[in-house]
Amino acid sequence: SLMFDNVVWGDEAFSVNTAKNSLFGIMQILYYLDCHPPLHYIWTKLFGDVLGHTVPVYHLAALVPFIVGIILAVTVVRKRFGNIPAAFFVVISGLGASCIEYNLEIRMYSLAFLGVFGAFYCSYRVIQTGKKSAWIGMVLWALEAAYSHYYALVTVGILLFFTGLTVWIK
C-alpha cells in the first residue's frame, strides 16, 4: 500500500525532481544543492526512463535492491552460513515497520544497504579464499555502496581496511 500511495515527503520529492533531469542536470543539482553521491539518483532515473516517471515506479526503484538482498539472503547466505543467519538478515532488513518504510522510500537506503551487504559477503570470501574474483567483487560492491550514500562510504571504507588488515596478518 505504501508503494501506491502517490505521496512523497520532502527528501523523496527532492529525489524525484532530481531523477527527472538529464545526467548532467543530476550532477549539477548534486553539486549545488546536495551532498549525496549520485548513484541513487541515476538508478531512480533509469527506472523512470524505462517504466515511466511515476511515484510507484520510483518506489519500485527503491524496492528492487531490497528484494535482491532478500533473495541473496535466502540463497547465498543460507547456503554459506545456515538458516539462522539468513533468517536474522531477513528479519533485520525487512520485517520491522521502519524497515518496510525505509525500503520503500524514494531514497538511497536500500541501494546502499545492498552494496554494504555485497561488500561484506565478498570480504568474507576474500578472507576465506583470497581469490582475485572475491577482491574484485568486494571493490565493486563497495563502490556501489559508496556512490549510493556517504554513510555507506564510511562503512565500506572500514570494511575494506579491516579486510586488508586481516589478509595481511593472515
Side-chain angles (χ1 to χ4, degrees), residues 31-111:
Y31 179 79
Y32 289 110
L33 301 175
D34 197 15
C35 61
H36 288 97
L39 186 59
H40 157 71
Y41 301 105
I42 295 168
W43 174 260
T44 306
K45 176 184 179 36
L46 175 69
F47 270 76
D49 287 350
V50 172
L51 300 173
H53 289 277
T54 63
V55 171
V57 169
Y58 294 134
H59 283 298
L60 180 65
L63 188 62
V64 166
F66 165 71
I67 292 170
V68 170
I70 295 298
I71 290 170
L72 289 173
V74 298
T75 56
V76 175
V77 171
R78 185 171 171 247
K79 180 180 174 184
R80 178 78 54 199
F81 300 106
N83 290 335
I84 302 232
F88 186 73
F89 179 88
V90 170
V91 168
I92 293 298
S93 68
L95 295 182
S98 61
C99 294
I100 292 170
E101 180 183 333
Y102 281 113
N103 288 330
L104 275 172
E105 280 190 356
I106 307 168
R107 299 296 290 150
M108 62 284 301
Y109 308 120
S110 60
L111 193 59

Side-chain angles (χ1 to χ4, degrees), residues 134-148:
W135 280 102
I136 292 169
M138 182 178 61
V139 169
L140 291 176
W141 279 111
L143 285 170
E144 186 272 329
Y147 277 95
S148 297

